[in-house]
Amino acid sequence: VQLQASGGGLVQAGGSLRLSCVAPVRNLSNYAMGWFRQAPGKERECVAAITRSVGITYYADSVKGRFTISRENAKKTVYLQMNSLKPEDTAVYYCAADPERRVRLVTNVAEYDYWGQGTLVTVSS
């Protein structure tokens, strides 16, 4: 399964972007979803995650209050709304999907089965 991420681009500090991730799976509500980012020379980190079904969310401290993850299961799409962007948010952003039987937040890279190709977000100062 290949996820399709889009919405990245160049934005000035303080601006906003909305990333989208289309997951061509049978029933997206059965998947925990996550957004990760990887800056040059750094490890991939989870910035936001959302559980299957009820949609409990997690945010990394660095993005809390600025980013919002959401899902539209009928559209097989997960979003990452990013506001008040900072230069340190510059990275390639990836979405990921993990089939789950339980309602749980998944923030570990190794636990995700499916990934998108990444979309570049560049925030200028």
Side-chain angles (χ1 to χ4, degrees):
V1 176
Q2 178 68 51
L3 309 184
Q4 186 67 40
S6 61
L10 174 63
V11 63
Q12 287 188 330
S16 299
L17 283 174
R18 188 175 81 156
L19 306 183
S20 299
C21 174
V22 178
V25 297
R26 186 169 182 177
N27 190 346
L28 187 63
S29 65
N30 292 336
Y31 289 76
M33 302 294 294
W35 282 99
F36 291 74
R37 68 185 180 190
Q38 188 165 19
K42 294 189 176 181
E43 291 189 354
R44 192 171 298 190
E45 62 169 345
C46 181
V47 296
I50 189 166
T51 64
R52 62 165 287 168
S53 62
V54 297
I56 299 168
T57 57
Y58 157 88
Y59 298 97
D61 287 344
S62 58
V63 307
K64 203 171 291 183
R66 301 187 297 121
F67 289 13
T68 302
I69 187 172
S70 61
R71 60 194 301 159
E72 280 192 78
N73 293 328
K75 292 186 177 182
K76 301 182 188 290
T77 302
V78 176
Y79 304 97
L80 185 68
Q81 177 67 44
M82 305 186 295
N83 299 327
S84 302
L85 283 161
K86 304 175 180 180
E88 51 263 44
D89 294 318
T90 295
V92 177
Y93 283 71
Y94 300 88
C95 60
D98 173 43
E100 280 286 330
R101 292 185 178 180
R102 297 177 294 157
V103 174
R104 59 183 286 261
L105 288 163
V106 182
T107 61
N108 189 328
V109 169
E111 292 192 73
Y112 278 94
D113 290 347
Y114 309 117
W115 290 85
Q117 82 287 4
T119 184
L120 177 62
V121 172
T122 304
V123 184
S124 63
S125 57

